[in-house]
Amino acid sequence: MNFSAIDPARLPQLLCAMPKAELHLHIEGSLEPELMFELARRNHIELPHADVAAVRQAYAFTNLQSFLDIYYAGASVLLHAQDFYDLAWAYFQRAAADHVVHCEIFFDPQTHTQRGVSMHTVVTGLHRACQDARAQLGIDAQLIMCFLRHLSQADAFETLAQAMPYLDKMVGVGLDSSEVGHPPEKFAQVFAKARQLGLRCVAHAGEEGPPAYMWSALDDLHAERIDHGVQATQDAALMQRLAKARVPLTVCPLSNIKLCVFSDLATHNLPALLDAGLCASVHSDDPAYFGGYINDNLLQTFEALPLNAGHAHQLARNSFEASFVPDAQKQIWLAQLDACFVQFGA
Ligand code: ADE
Ligand code: ZN
């Protein structure tokens, strides 16, 4: 494929049109303030902010924890299966508009079970939205259940036990929340149990935490994919391992700027990750809080950095390679990706 034949002026259009997989999206982080207020009204919950504009104004974060405090408070409007359905359905409609053909969506059950909302309520609402996404939007959607790393491993085990009746509705487990001070090895046994149950394993690591946390995610949790992982560039041996084993990194540039991991997009290390041959791809993390969904992330990142059509193809290709679907399905999406690039002149 001749990427240099593509008119650079059409790159933004191509980024939007190319088929892609969303692999790093916290469904609670897609709760837009408008829906937050609608659910608050429906569920008779009082919010600390007067209106949507005031909520958006409060979204000025200094680090991961300053965001998480607000993010967990926002999720308090979610009570019933229908609320979880509405949240996920709103996301899927946006994903379809961004030409997302496959998503693996994170959810945080402990955020809800701690408030007395059952695992059943959470999973049935989200799962029904996944089924409708396939039937009505043609999006292949899967769920990944995340353990909150600021809580104990015993709590994670209890969460896994609660999820046992619903394991057929999730493809894997993940690890998220406050990273520093909560290294992956804290959850080695519960991840081992999840693996035994046939669940795929991913983990947030190297977002704010050091490269040592990425080594631990690989060696102690046997994570097949690392979420964020941008701190890897500090460790040459880790970079070599990630490149050689093609361990995917799900990178979220707008999140990294909003949480002050990088000062601006122009200094983001995505080009360095790609140039080192890593299987990096671009995703949205918590788009309602960070100002953009997957296409916004791609558009703004390409605007700020020296990235071209070849990089666009690589990122979309990596997103499919990194996904937990059978190879035959990956080949179908890769053929669609190539067809899209041919349409743009490659
Ligand atoms: N939960 C939601 N977004 C997160 C992030 N960026 N890092 C860790 N945990 C999260
Ligand atoms: Zn995340």
Side-chain angles (χ1 to χ4, degrees), residues 27-28 31 35 39 42-43 75-90 92 107 112 115-132 143 166 169:
I27 200 64
E28 295 89 349
L31 178 56
L35 182 56
L39 294 178
R42 208 155 90 183
N43 291 333
S76 67
V77 299
L78 298 160
L79 289 187
H80 308 292
Q82 186 65 41
D83 305 338
F84 289 91
Y85 176 91
D86 291 347
L87 172 67
W89 182 247
F92 287 132
F107 69 107
H112 313 300
R115 300 181 288 114
V117 176
S118 71
M119 180 71 81
H120 178 82
T121 296
V122 177
V123 176
T124 53
L126 295 178
H127 180 66
R128 191 161 59 83
C130 290
Q131 288 178 311
D132 285 357
L143 297 172
Y166 313 103
K169 297 184 172 56

Short mmCIF file of all heavy atoms in Angstrom, two decimals, residues 27-28 31 35 39 42-43 75-90 92 107 112 115-132 143 166 169:
data_model
loop_
_atom_site.label_atom_id
_atom_site.label_comp_id
_atom_site.label_asym_id
_atom_site.label_seq_id
_atom_site.Cartn_x
_atom_site.Cartn_y
_atom_site.Cartn_z
N ILE A 27 -16.83 2.65 30.70
CA ILE A 27 -18.19 3.07 30.37
C ILE A 27 -18.67 4.16 31.34
O ILE A 27 -19.38 5.08 30.93
CB ILE A 27 -19.15 1.85 30.29
CG1 ILE A 27 -20.39 2.22 29.50
CG2 ILE A 27 -19.51 1.28 31.65
CD1 ILE A 27 -20.15 2.56 28.04
N GLU A 28 -18.25 4.09 32.60
CA GLU A 28 -18.64 5.15 33.54
C GLU A 28 -18.01 6.49 33.15
O GLU A 28 -18.52 7.55 33.52
CB GLU A 28 -18.22 4.79 34.97
CG GLU A 28 -18.92 3.57 35.56
CD GLU A 28 -18.20 2.25 35.28
OE1 GLU A 28 -17.27 2.23 34.44
OE2 GLU A 28 -18.58 1.23 35.90
N LEU A 31 -20.09 8.95 30.74
CA LEU A 31 -21.31 9.58 31.27
C LEU A 31 -21.24 11.10 31.05
O LEU A 31 -20.58 11.82 31.79
CB LEU A 31 -21.45 9.26 32.77
CG LEU A 31 -22.64 9.87 33.51
CD1 LEU A 31 -23.96 9.49 32.85
CD2 LEU A 31 -22.63 9.43 34.99
N LEU A 35 -26.63 13.48 30.47
CA LEU A 35 -27.25 12.22 30.92
C LEU A 35 -27.14 12.10 32.45
O LEU A 35 -28.06 11.59 33.11
CB LEU A 35 -26.59 11.02 30.23
CG LEU A 35 -27.17 9.64 30.57
CD1 LEU A 35 -28.67 9.56 30.29
CD2 LEU A 35 -26.43 8.52 29.82
N LEU A 39 -30.38 11.32 34.66
CA LEU A 39 -30.47 10.16 35.57
C LEU A 39 -30.66 10.62 37.02
O LEU A 39 -31.39 10.00 37.79
CB LEU A 39 -29.22 9.29 35.45
CG LEU A 39 -29.03 8.58 34.09
CD1 LEU A 39 -27.73 7.78 34.07
CD2 LEU A 39 -30.20 7.66 33.78
N ARG A 42 -34.29 11.42 37.31
CA ARG A 42 -35.06 10.17 37.28
C ARG A 42 -34.95 9.40 38.59
O ARG A 42 -35.91 8.81 39.06
CB ARG A 42 -34.48 9.32 36.15
CG ARG A 42 -35.41 8.38 35.50
CD ARG A 42 -34.92 8.07 34.10
NE ARG A 42 -34.03 6.92 34.04
CZ ARG A 42 -33.43 6.50 32.91
NH1 ARG A 42 -33.62 7.15 31.78
NH2 ARG A 42 -32.65 5.45 32.92
N ASN A 43 -33.75 9.44 39.21
CA ASN A 43 -33.50 8.62 40.40
C ASN A 43 -33.55 9.42 41.70
O ASN A 43 -33.20 8.90 42.76
CB ASN A 43 -32.14 7.92 40.26
CG ASN A 43 -32.17 6.86 39.17
OD1 ASN A 43 -33.23 6.31 38.87
ND2 ASN A 43 -31.03 6.59 38.57
N ALA A 75 -20.71 8.65 39.06
CA ALA A 75 -21.34 7.34 38.84
C ALA A 75 -22.47 7.07 39.82
O ALA A 75 -23.23 6.11 39.64
CB ALA A 75 -20.28 6.24 38.95
N SER A 76 -22.64 7.92 40.83
CA SER A 76 -23.67 7.67 41.84
C SER A 76 -25.09 7.80 41.30
O SER A 76 -26.04 7.38 41.94
CB SER A 76 -23.50 8.65 43.02
OG SER A 76 -23.79 9.96 42.57
N VAL A 77 -25.25 8.37 40.09
CA VAL A 77 -26.60 8.49 39.51
C VAL A 77 -27.06 7.19 38.87
O VAL A 77 -28.22 7.07 38.48
CB VAL A 77 -26.67 9.63 38.46
CG1 VAL A 77 -26.35 10.97 39.10
CG2 VAL A 77 -25.76 9.36 37.26
N LEU A 78 -26.16 6.22 38.74
CA LEU A 78 -26.49 4.94 38.09
C LEU A 78 -27.04 3.97 39.12
O LEU A 78 -26.31 3.51 40.00
CB LEU A 78 -25.23 4.36 37.44
CG LEU A 78 -24.58 5.21 36.33
CD1 LEU A 78 -23.13 4.80 36.10
CD2 LEU A 78 -25.38 5.08 35.03
N LEU A 79 -28.33 3.67 39.03
CA LEU A 79 -28.95 2.79 40.01
C LEU A 79 -29.58 1.53 39.42
O LEU A 79 -29.48 0.45 39.98
CB LEU A 79 -30.05 3.54 40.77
CG LEU A 79 -29.65 4.63 41.76
CD1 LEU A 79 -30.89 5.10 42.52
CD2 LEU A 79 -28.59 4.13 42.73
N HIS A 80 -30.24 1.68 38.28
CA HIS A 80 -31.04 0.58 37.73
C HIS A 80 -30.42 0.05 36.43
O HIS A 80 -29.65 0.77 35.78
CB HIS A 80 -32.47 1.07 37.45
CG HIS A 80 -33.09 1.73 38.65
ND1 HIS A 80 -33.40 1.02 39.78
CD2 HIS A 80 -33.40 3.03 38.90
CE1 HIS A 80 -33.91 1.85 40.69
NE2 HIS A 80 -33.91 3.08 40.17
N ALA A 81 -30.80 -1.17 36.06
CA ALA A 81 -30.27 -1.76 34.83
C ALA A 81 -30.52 -0.83 33.64
O ALA A 81 -29.66 -0.68 32.76
CB ALA A 81 -30.89 -3.13 34.59
N GLN A 82 -31.67 -0.18 33.63
CA GLN A 82 -31.98 0.74 32.52
C GLN A 82 -30.98 1.91 32.47
O GLN A 82 -30.65 2.39 31.38
CB GLN A 82 -33.42 1.28 32.66
CG GLN A 82 -33.88 2.12 31.49
CD GLN A 82 -33.98 1.30 30.19
OE1 GLN A 82 -34.43 0.15 30.20
NE2 GLN A 82 -33.52 1.88 29.07
N ASP A 83 -30.50 2.36 33.63
CA ASP A 83 -29.51 3.45 33.65
C ASP A 83 -28.22 3.00 32.98
O ASP A 83 -27.61 3.74 32.20
CB ASP A 83 -29.20 3.88 35.09
CG ASP A 83 -30.45 4.27 35.87
OD1 ASP A 83 -31.46 4.62 35.22
OD2 ASP A 83 -30.41 4.22 37.11
N PHE A 84 -27.79 1.77 33.30
CA PHE A 84 -26.56 1.25 32.69
C PHE A 84 -26.76 1.02 31.20
O PHE A 84 -25.86 1.27 30.39
CB PHE A 84 -26.12 -0.05 33.41
CG PHE A 84 -25.59 0.22 34.79
CD1 PHE A 84 -26.43 0.19 35.90
CD2 PHE A 84 -24.26 0.54 34.98
CE1 PHE A 84 -25.95 0.47 37.18
CE2 PHE A 84 -23.77 0.84 36.25
CZ PHE A 84 -24.62 0.79 37.34
N TYR A 85 -27.97 0.60 30.83
CA TYR A 85 -28.28 0.43 29.42
C TYR A 85 -28.19 1.79 28.70
O TYR A 85 -27.55 1.92 27.66
CB TYR A 85 -29.69 -0.15 29.24
CG TYR A 85 -30.09 -0.25 27.79
CD1 TYR A 85 -29.83 -1.39 27.06
CD2 TYR A 85 -30.69 0.84 27.14
CE1 TYR A 85 -30.15 -1.46 25.71
CE2 TYR A 85 -31.00 0.78 25.80
CZ TYR A 85 -30.74 -0.37 25.09
OH TYR A 85 -31.04 -0.42 23.76
N ASP A 86 -28.83 2.79 29.26
CA ASP A 86 -28.86 4.11 28.61
C ASP A 86 -27.45 4.68 28.46
O ASP A 86 -27.12 5.30 27.45
CB ASP A 86 -29.72 5.09 29.43
CG ASP A 86 -31.21 4.73 29.38
OD1 ASP A 86 -31.60 3.89 28.54
OD2 ASP A 86 -31.97 5.27 30.21
N LEU A 87 -26.64 4.48 29.50
CA LEU A 87 -25.25 4.95 29.46
C LEU A 87 -24.50 4.28 28.30
O LEU A 87 -23.86 4.96 27.48
CB LEU A 87 -24.58 4.59 30.80
CG LEU A 87 -23.08 4.82 30.90
CD1 LEU A 87 -22.75 6.31 30.86
CD2 LEU A 87 -22.52 4.19 32.20
N ALA A 88 -24.59 2.95 28.23
CA ALA A 88 -23.83 2.22 27.20
C ALA A 88 -24.41 2.49 25.81
O ALA A 88 -23.66 2.62 24.84
CB ALA A 88 -23.83 0.73 27.52
N TRP A 89 -25.73 2.60 25.73
CA TRP A 89 -26.33 2.84 24.42
C TRP A 89 -25.91 4.20 23.87
O TRP A 89 -25.60 4.35 22.68
CB TRP A 89 -27.86 2.72 24.50
CG TRP A 89 -28.51 2.92 23.18
CD1 TRP A 89 -29.32 3.94 22.80
CD2 TRP A 89 -28.36 2.06 22.02
NE1 TRP A 89 -29.69 3.80 21.48
CE2 TRP A 89 -29.12 2.65 20.98
CE3 TRP A 89 -27.66 0.88 21.77
CZ2 TRP A 89 -29.19 2.08 19.71
CZ3 TRP A 89 -27.73 0.32 20.49
CH2 TRP A 89 -28.50 0.92 19.48
N ALA A 90 -25.86 5.20 24.74
CA ALA A 90 -25.39 6.53 24.31
C ALA A 90 -23.96 6.44 23.79
O ALA A 90 -23.60 7.03 22.76
CB ALA A 90 -25.47 7.52 25.48
N PHE A 92 -22.48 3.71 22.51
CA PHE A 92 -22.42 2.96 21.24
C PHE A 92 -22.83 3.82 20.05
O PHE A 92 -22.29 3.68 18.95
CB PHE A 92 -23.28 1.70 21.32
CG PHE A 92 -22.68 0.63 22.20
CD1 PHE A 92 -23.45 -0.02 23.15
CD2 PHE A 92 -21.35 0.27 22.08
CE1 PHE A 92 -22.91 -1.01 23.96
CE2 PHE A 92 -20.79 -0.72 22.88
CZ PHE A 92 -21.57 -1.36 23.84
N PHE A 107 -15.85 -1.90 32.71
CA PHE A 107 -16.78 -1.40 33.72
C PHE A 107 -16.21 -1.72 35.09
O PHE A 107 -15.40 -2.64 35.25
CB PHE A 107 -18.19 -1.98 33.53
CG PHE A 107 -18.34 -3.45 33.81
CD1 PHE A 107 -19.00 -3.89 34.96
CD2 PHE A 107 -17.83 -4.41 32.95
CE1 PHE A 107 -19.16 -5.25 35.23
CE2 PHE A 107 -17.98 -5.78 33.22
CZ PHE A 107 -18.64 -6.19 34.35
N HIS A 112 -20.21 0.36 42.02
CA HIS A 112 -21.66 0.25 42.13
C HIS A 112 -22.08 -0.69 43.27
O HIS A 112 -22.99 -0.36 44.03
CB HIS A 112 -22.23 -0.22 40.79
CG HIS A 112 -21.65 0.55 39.64
ND1 HIS A 112 -21.79 1.92 39.53
CD2 HIS A 112 -20.88 0.16 38.59
CE1 HIS A 112 -21.15 2.34 38.45
NE2 HIS A 112 -20.58 1.30 37.87
N ARG A 115 -22.28 0.73 46.61
CA ARG A 115 -23.42 1.62 46.89
C ARG A 115 -24.72 0.82 46.97
O ARG A 115 -25.80 1.40 46.97
CB ARG A 115 -23.59 2.64 45.75
CG ARG A 115 -22.42 3.54 45.51
CD ARG A 115 -22.70 4.53 44.36
NE ARG A 115 -22.71 3.92 43.04
CZ ARG A 115 -23.76 3.81 42.25
NH1 ARG A 115 -24.93 4.27 42.63
NH2 ARG A 115 -23.67 3.23 41.07
N GLY A 116 -24.60 -0.51 46.94
CA GLY A 116 -25.80 -1.34 47.07
C GLY A 116 -26.45 -1.69 45.74
O GLY A 116 -27.56 -2.23 45.71
N VAL A 117 -25.78 -1.36 44.62
CA VAL A 117 -26.29 -1.73 43.30
C VAL A 117 -25.67 -3.09 42.96
O VAL A 117 -24.45 -3.25 43.03
CB VAL A 117 -25.90 -0.68 42.25
CG1 VAL A 117 -26.33 -1.11 40.86
CG2 VAL A 117 -26.50 0.69 42.61
N SER A 118 -26.49 -4.05 42.59
CA SER A 118 -25.98 -5.43 42.46
C SER A 118 -25.21 -5.64 41.15
O SER A 118 -25.43 -4.95 40.15
CB SER A 118 -27.13 -6.43 42.52
OG SER A 118 -27.90 -6.33 41.34
N MET A 119 -24.35 -6.65 41.16
CA MET A 119 -23.64 -7.08 39.95
C MET A 119 -24.66 -7.40 38.86
O MET A 119 -24.46 -7.07 37.69
CB MET A 119 -22.78 -8.29 40.29
CG MET A 119 -21.99 -8.84 39.14
SD MET A 119 -20.62 -7.79 38.62
CE MET A 119 -19.38 -8.23 39.83
N HIS A 120 -25.76 -8.05 39.25
CA HIS A 120 -26.80 -8.42 38.28
C HIS A 120 -27.31 -7.18 37.54
O HIS A 120 -27.45 -7.17 36.31
CB HIS A 120 -27.95 -9.14 39.01
CG HIS A 120 -29.08 -9.50 38.10
ND1 HIS A 120 -29.06 -10.62 37.31
CD2 HIS A 120 -30.25 -8.85 37.82
CE1 HIS A 120 -30.17 -10.66 36.59
NE2 HIS A 120 -30.91 -9.61 36.89
N THR A 121 -27.63 -6.14 38.31
CA THR A 121 -28.15 -4.90 37.71
C THR A 121 -27.15 -4.33 36.71
O THR A 121 -27.51 -3.95 35.58
CB THR A 121 -28.40 -3.87 38.84
OG1 THR A 121 -29.42 -4.40 39.69
CG2 THR A 121 -28.83 -2.52 38.31
N VAL A 122 -25.88 -4.25 37.13
CA VAL A 122 -24.85 -3.63 36.28
C VAL A 122 -24.68 -4.44 35.00
O VAL A 122 -24.74 -3.89 33.89
CB VAL A 122 -23.51 -3.55 37.05
CG1 VAL A 122 -22.41 -2.97 36.16
CG2 VAL A 122 -23.66 -2.73 38.33
N VAL A 123 -24.47 -5.74 35.16
CA VAL A 123 -24.11 -6.56 33.99
C VAL A 123 -25.30 -6.71 33.04
O VAL A 123 -25.13 -6.64 31.82
CB VAL A 123 -23.56 -7.93 34.43
CG1 VAL A 123 -23.28 -8.81 33.21
CG2 VAL A 123 -22.28 -7.76 35.23
N THR A 124 -26.49 -6.88 33.58
CA THR A 124 -27.62 -7.09 32.65
C THR A 124 -27.89 -5.83 31.83
O THR A 124 -28.17 -5.91 30.63
CB THR A 124 -28.91 -7.55 33.38
OG1 THR A 124 -29.19 -6.64 34.43
CG2 THR A 124 -28.78 -8.94 33.93
N GLY A 125 -27.79 -4.66 32.47
CA GLY A 125 -28.00 -3.41 31.72
C GLY A 125 -26.95 -3.22 30.63
O GLY A 125 -27.28 -2.92 29.47
N LEU A 126 -25.70 -3.42 30.98
CA LEU A 126 -24.62 -3.23 30.00
C LEU A 126 -24.69 -4.27 28.89
O LEU A 126 -24.51 -3.96 27.71
CB LEU A 126 -23.25 -3.30 30.69
CG LEU A 126 -22.94 -2.18 31.71
CD1 LEU A 126 -21.56 -2.42 32.35
CD2 LEU A 126 -22.99 -0.80 31.05
N HIS A 127 -24.99 -5.51 29.29
CA HIS A 127 -24.98 -6.59 28.29
C HIS A 127 -26.10 -6.41 27.27
O HIS A 127 -25.91 -6.66 26.07
CB HIS A 127 -25.11 -7.94 29.01
CG HIS A 127 -25.11 -9.10 28.06
ND1 HIS A 127 -24.02 -9.45 27.31
CD2 HIS A 127 -26.09 -9.97 27.71
CE1 HIS A 127 -24.31 -10.49 26.55
NE2 HIS A 127 -25.57 -10.82 26.77
N ARG A 128 -27.24 -5.95 27.73
CA ARG A 128 -28.36 -5.74 26.79
C ARG A 128 -27.98 -4.64 25.77
O ARG A 128 -28.30 -4.73 24.59
CB ARG A 128 -29.64 -5.37 27.56
CG ARG A 128 -30.89 -5.39 26.70
CD ARG A 128 -32.16 -5.49 27.54
NE ARG A 128 -32.33 -4.39 28.48
CZ ARG A 128 -32.83 -3.19 28.16
NH1 ARG A 128 -33.22 -2.94 26.91
NH2 ARG A 128 -32.97 -2.25 29.07
N ALA A 129 -27.27 -3.63 26.24
CA ALA A 129 -26.82 -2.58 25.31
C ALA A 129 -25.81 -3.15 24.31
O ALA A 129 -25.83 -2.78 23.12
CB ALA A 129 -26.20 -1.41 26.08
N CYS A 130 -24.95 -4.07 24.76
CA CYS A 130 -23.99 -4.70 23.84
C CYS A 130 -24.73 -5.48 22.76
O CYS A 130 -24.37 -5.44 21.57
CB CYS A 130 -23.05 -5.65 24.59
SG CYS A 130 -21.87 -4.82 25.67
N GLN A 131 -25.78 -6.20 23.16
CA GLN A 131 -26.55 -6.98 22.18
C GLN A 131 -27.22 -6.05 21.16
O GLN A 131 -27.22 -6.33 19.96
CB GLN A 131 -27.62 -7.80 22.90
CG GLN A 131 -27.01 -8.97 23.67
CD GLN A 131 -28.07 -9.76 24.42
OE1 GLN A 131 -28.90 -9.18 25.13
NE2 GLN A 131 -28.05 -11.06 24.26
N ASP A 132 -27.77 -4.93 21.65
CA ASP A 132 -28.42 -3.98 20.74
C ASP A 132 -27.40 -3.29 19.84
O ASP A 132 -27.71 -2.94 18.69
CB ASP A 132 -29.24 -2.95 21.53
CG ASP A 132 -30.53 -3.56 22.07
OD1 ASP A 132 -30.80 -4.75 21.77
OD2 ASP A 132 -31.27 -2.86 22.80
N LEU A 143 -17.46 -6.96 27.10
CA LEU A 143 -17.24 -6.29 28.39
C LEU A 143 -15.98 -6.82 29.07
O LEU A 143 -15.70 -8.02 29.01
CB LEU A 143 -18.44 -6.51 29.32
CG LEU A 143 -19.77 -5.92 28.86
CD1 LEU A 143 -20.90 -6.38 29.79
CD2 LEU A 143 -19.71 -4.39 28.82
N TYR A 166 -22.19 -14.53 35.56
CA TYR A 166 -22.23 -13.66 34.36
C TYR A 166 -20.96 -13.75 33.52
O TYR A 166 -20.74 -12.91 32.66
CB TYR A 166 -22.46 -12.19 34.80
CG TYR A 166 -23.57 -12.06 35.80
CD1 TYR A 166 -23.29 -11.87 37.16
CD2 TYR A 166 -24.90 -12.16 35.39
CE1 TYR A 166 -24.32 -11.79 38.08
CE2 TYR A 166 -25.93 -12.08 36.31
CZ TYR A 166 -25.64 -11.91 37.65
OH TYR A 166 -26.65 -11.83 38.55
N LYS A 169 -20.79 -13.27 29.87
CA LYS A 169 -21.09 -11.93 29.36
C LYS A 169 -19.87 -11.02 29.39
O LYS A 169 -19.97 -9.82 29.16
CB LYS A 169 -22.25 -11.32 30.14
CG LYS A 169 -23.53 -12.13 29.98
CD LYS A 169 -24.73 -11.51 30.66
CE LYS A 169 -25.99 -12.25 30.31
NZ LYS A 169 -25.96 -13.70 30.59
#
